[in-house]
Amino acid sequence: MNDILFALLFFLPAGLANSAPPIANKIPFLNRWKTPLDFGNKIGQQYVRGKNKTWRGLVFGTLVSGVAAWLIYPQLSVDTGTTVEHFLIGCFIGFGALFGDAAESFFKRRKGIASGNAWLGFDQLDYVIGAMLFSLPFIQLRLQDYLVVIGVFFVMHFIVSYCGYLLGFKDKPV
């Protein structure tokens, strides 16, 4: 399989993890579980991460990523062993993606950017960088593969965000 295609498919679960929290917000039985990651704590007048970064989104996105990896990685011949290990690697990468997004949210609040407002460049790369960092114990790719993943997921972020807006999962198109 082409190395670049492999890299894109390997990080697809991270992209799905990043897209999952707004969907979890629309699932009725999950909608009640909306405790913010920062438990509502503030630094000064601003939330540490914001009310939209919830434990529900973190858990749901991590599990979505695990299931996606469980389905995708055996097709990629990822040399990690069992499908259980694929699921766990996917959870780890999905958690990394959401961790990157939550870390970026912290810095957005410090810059005075309101929750839900775009921070061009950072909103599109935070989850990819987080997933890449959390993938390092399992796989190391060539620099060019990482750069292609960053470029493709940067563009895909705009497309997926706009589709999420059209479908009613997001309040803003980007």
Side-chain angles (χ1 to χ4, degrees):
M1 174 177 289
N2 179 321
D3 290 343
I4 292 173
L5 180 59
F6 173 88
L8 291 172
L9 289 173
F10 185 81
F11 284 105
L12 181 60
L16 295 173
N18 191 55
S19 301
I23 295 168
N25 190 40
K26 301 294 184 185
I27 299 173
F29 72 91
L30 292 178
N31 201 22
R32 293 174 285 176
W33 190 39
K34 53 186 171 187
T35 303
L37 289 174
D38 60 16
F39 295 101
N41 291 313
K42 295 182 178 183
I43 296 176
Q45 297 296 317
Q46 297 177 333
Y47 289 103
V48 175
R49 288 194 171 76
K51 64 180 181 172
N52 293 328
K53 304 298 177 206
T54 65
W55 289 98
R56 169 192 58 218
L58 179 67
V59 171
F60 186 73
T62 298
L63 291 175
V64 163
S65 183
V67 169
W70 176 70
L71 294 170
I72 295 169
Y73 290 177
Q75 311 311 313
L76 297 179
S77 300
V78 174
D79 191 22
T80 56
T82 69
T83 55
V84 171
E85 290 170 319
H86 293 158
F87 174 79
L88 294 174
I89 292 168
C91 286
F92 206 74
I93 290 171
F95 178 85
L98 296 167
F99 178 84
D101 185 55
E104 180 260 352
S105 184
F106 172 82
F107 292 107
K108 267 175 92 168
R109 299 299 89 75
R110 305 297 72 76
K111 297 252 328 150
I113 300 169
S115 184
N117 287 352
W119 191 16
L120 187 60
F122 295 95
D123 283 332
Q124 293 76 32
L125 296 177
D126 55 1
Y127 71 99
V128 178
I129 301 300
M132 287 178 174
L133 290 174
F134 277 67
S135 75
L136 290 175
F138 309 106
I139 192 167
Q140 292 84 42
L141 303 174
R142 297 175 305 160
L143 177 60
Q144 75 182 44
D145 296 332
Y146 286 118
L147 293 175
V148 168
V149 168
I150 288 170
V152 169
F153 279 86
F154 182 87
V155 172
M156 286 299 298
H157 185 272
F158 291 105
I159 295 168
V160 171
S161 290
Y162 190 71
C163 290
Y165 170 73
L166 292 176
L167 293 171
F169 291 116
K170 294 184 68 159
D171 296 331
K172 297 180 182 178
V174 176

